[in-house]
Amino acid sequence: MEVYRFLSQTFLFSNLEESAIVKLLEKRAPKIIEYKRGDEVYSSSNKEKLIGFIFIGRCEVRRNKCDGARVVLNELKEKDSFGVLSIYSEDEFPTQIFASLNSSVLFFTAEDIRYFVNNCSQISNNLIVFLADRISFLNKKITTFSGTRVEDRLAAFLLCERSVYGSDFFPFNIQKTASEINAGRASVYRALDALSEAHLISITDKKIYILDREGLERNLK
């Protein structure tokens, strides 16, 4: 796939004509780096702040626990990005990115992003929308841990999972969910039954289907 066409399908360059993307890249061309499966793609050891887009392949977002164990937080597929928040922060990149398949990653520097924002209002708007969505996602995460009722915490968790998978239909694991919302498995099952009876979700073959997103969100208010 051509780089211009690829970028038009990412959040940063969405709603831009290919000709406009070509013009921007004439001034700020990205760097594309290839990685073998298992290679480290990005971490706090990188001195240069970068935004990465998965051009080909897949990558994993990992974090090391205190005991040294490595936890996979998320999987990034083609057109997904990482590092967006870090270019506006002085903090170190909090996680590590590893190639889970042979992959190619397209990188822009922080200076590139500032150039795009200053010279293209659509990119500026796309970035604002992305950051607003991230804030909303983090607020739901906070609700997951601060809600008093298990149903509220479960609703917040399911909405977060919906954001992660980008779909109303996604895999569901009872043990992971119980751990995430700090509840016993029996309580989670009861909460699932309550949300199902309210016609907010349905459960089939270890998968969740969100029937009423707005209804779930009302559980958080």
Side-chain angles (χ1 to χ4, degrees), residues 24 27-28 110-120:
L24 288 168
K27 300 292 185 180
R28 294 284 179 171
E111 290 74 19
D112 294 335
I113 301 303
R114 282 192 283 270
Y115 175 85
F116 296 148
V117 167
N118 291 333
N119 289 276
C120 180

Side-chain angles (χ1 to χ4, degrees), residues 30-58:
K31 181 185 293 186
I32 300 177
I33 301 177
E34 296 184 355
Y35 297 92
K36 298 286 188 182
R37 179 180 179 182
D39 285 350
E40 182 180 275
V41 175
Y42 200 66
S43 74
S44 60
S45 63
N46 290 77
K47 294 181 180 179
E48 188 175 25
K49 293 187 175 182
L50 303 168
I51 287 181
F53 292 91
I54 312 303
F55 188 49
I56 298 172
R58 288 181 182 267

Side-chain angles (χ1 to χ4, degrees), residues 77 85 98 152 166-167 171 179 191 199 215:
K77 59 186 183 299
L85 300 180
F98 285 86
D152 298 341
S167 171
S179 175
H199 305 293

Side-chain angles (χ1 to χ4, degrees), residues 62-73:
R62 302 176 183 172
R63 182 188 289 275
N64 290 327
K65 297 174 66 176
C66 297
D67 60 4
R70 186 174 289 168
V71 179
V72 176
L73 301 179

Side-chain angles (χ1 to χ4, degrees), residues 153-164:
R153 302 202 299 272
L154 177 60
F157 174 74
L158 294 178
L159 289 169
C160 288
E161 290 290 274
R162 177 183 181 275
S163 298
V164 169

Side-chain angles (χ1 to χ4, degrees), residues 131-185:
L131 295 174
D133 286 344
R134 293 303 300 169
I135 291 171
S136 176
F137 175 81
L138 292 173
N139 283 339
K140 289 171 184 173
K141 275 287 188 183
I142 291 171
T143 305
T144 299
F145 292 101
S146 61
T148 54
R149 298 193 312 157
V150 176
E151 288 89 342
D152 298 341
R153 302 202 299 272
L154 177 60
F157 174 74
L158 294 178
L159 289 169
C160 288
E161 290 290 274
R162 177 183 181 275
S163 298
V164 169
Y165 286 100
S167 171
D168 288 325
F169 188 60
F170 48 83
F172 177 78
N173 181 283
I174 189 68
Q175 186 169 344
K176 173 190 173 183
T177 303
S179 175
E180 287 283 345
I181 69 173
N182 192 28
R185 293 176 54 163

